C-alpha cells in the first residue's frame, strides 16, 4: 500500500513509517521543514514538503493522488499556543480530509487524543487542544466519502513497546508507549473493517493484531 502521513516527522509517525517500510508498504511523510527530510529517509519514508497551515486543498490533494490510505498524525506540539492548536490540530485535519476526498482516497486514519471533545470546558492550552481535536474528529466522522478510523491513545510514553494493548471504544485512562500506538496504526491500516470506529488505546494484555481483529469483529 501507498500510505501518506501528515505530520511525518512526529514521534509516532516516524515509528509508523519504519513499520510500514519494513513490511513492504510505501510510506510518504508530509513535513514542512526540509531539515527533517533525512530523518524520514532513514525511516524508509519518502519526504514531501508541504505546510498544512498554508497549503490549498488542491495542493494537498496532489500529494495524495494514488494513495491507498492516509494518516493524520500532525499536531501543533508542546509549547504551541491555542491559536496553533486550532490551525493545526483542527484546521489542518479538516484540510487533510478535504484533500483525501478530492484525491479519492477513502481510507482515513486519525491519531486523536483521549478526552478529545468539541465541548470540552476550560481555558488552559490543553483544554483548547482537546476541543480542537474533538472538533476535527467530529468533522471527519460526518464524512460519508471517507472510511475513517479515529484512534485515541492514552498518555504517551517513550517506554519500549510491549505489543500488548487494550483497544476498545472506552478503555479508561492509562499510559501507552508510542511504539505500541504506531503498531496499532499499522494494523488498523490493514484492517478496513475498523472503518467507522472511534477507539481508545492503552497498554493492556492483548497482542496488537488480536486487539484490532477483535474490534473489527474478526
Amino acid at each position: 500500500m501507498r500510505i501518506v502521513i501528515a505530520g511525518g516527522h512526529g514521534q509516532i509517525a516516524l515509528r509508523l513509517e519504519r513499520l510500514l517500510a519494513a513490511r513492504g508498504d510505501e510510506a510518504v511523510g508530509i513535513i514542512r521543514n526540509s531539515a527533517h527530510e533525512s530523518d524520514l529517509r532513514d525511516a524508509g519514508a519518502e519526504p514531501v514538503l508541504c505546510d498544512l497551515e498554508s497549503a490549498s486543498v488542491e495542493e494537498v490533494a496532489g500529494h495524495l493522488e494514488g494513495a491507498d490510505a492516509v494518516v493524520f498524525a500532525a499536531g501543533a506540539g508542546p509549547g504551541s499556543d491555542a491559536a496553533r492548536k486550532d490551525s493545526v490540530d483542527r484546521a489542518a485535519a479538516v484540510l487533510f480530509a478535504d484533500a483525501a476526498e478530492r484525491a479519492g482516497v477513502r481510507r482515513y486514519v486519525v491519531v486523536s487524543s483521549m478526552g478529545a471533545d468539541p465541548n470540552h470546558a476550560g481555558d488552559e492550552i490543553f483544554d483548547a487542544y482537546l476541543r480542537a481535536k474533538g472538533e476535527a474528529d467530529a468533522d471527519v466522522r460526518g464524512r460519508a466519502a471517507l472510511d475513517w478510523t479515529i484512534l485515541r491513545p492514552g498518555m504517551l510514553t517513550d517506554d519500549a513497546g510491549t505489543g500488548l494493548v487494550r483497544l476498545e471504544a472506552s478503555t479508561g485512562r492509562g499510559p501507552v508507549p508510542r511504539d505500541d500506538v504506531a503498531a496499532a496504526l499499522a494494523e488498523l491500516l490493514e484492517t478496513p473493517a475498523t472503518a467507522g470506529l472511534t477507539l481508545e488505546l492503552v497498554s493492556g494484555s492483548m497482542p496488537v493484531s488480536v486487539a484490532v481483529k477483535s474490534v473489527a469483529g474478526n
Side-chain angles (χ1 to χ4, degrees), residues 57 61 64 91-103 108 139 143 146:
V57 173
L64 303 187
V94 172
L95 172 75
F96 204 59
D98 287 340
E101 288 187 352
R102 184 76 58 91
Y108 191 95
D139 177 272
R143 293 174 184 259
L146 297 180

Side-chain angles (χ1 to χ4, degrees), residues 6 28 37 64 76 129 144 147 149 167 175:
V28 179
E37 289 182 353
L64 303 187
Y129 167 74
D147 296 327
T149 302
L167 180 71

Side-chain angles (χ1 to χ4, degrees), residues 134-184:
E135 289 168 8
D137 291 354
D139 177 272
V140 169
R141 283 197 293 251
R143 293 174 184 259
L146 297 180
D147 296 327
W148 52 265
T149 302
I150 294 170
L151 184 65
R152 292 177 167 175
M155 185 183 72
L156 299 171
T157 75
D158 288 325
D159 297 338
T162 65
L164 299 173
V165 298
R166 183 178 176 191
L167 180 71
E168 298 171 15
S170 180
T171 61
R173 295 194 175 275
V176 61
R178 289 179 172 86
D179 287 348
D180 291 334
V181 178

Side-chain angles (χ1 to χ4, degrees), residues 89-153:
D89 293 286
R90 183 197 62 79
V94 172
L95 172 75
F96 204 59
D98 287 340
E101 288 187 352
R102 184 76 58 91
V105 183
R106 290 197 62 91
R107 191 71 173 115
Y108 191 95
V109 177
V110 178
V111 183
S112 184
S113 176
M114 193 173 289
D117 181 352
N119 299 313
H120 180 83
D123 300 321
E124 301 298 322
I125 297 296
F126 191 66
D127 299 321
Y129 167 74
L130 291 177
R131 282 193 295 274
K133 295 298 284 186
E135 289 168 8
D137 291 354
D139 177 272
V140 169
R141 283 197 293 251
R143 293 174 184 259
L146 297 180
D147 296 327
W148 52 265
T149 302
I150 294 170
L151 184 65
R152 292 177 167 175

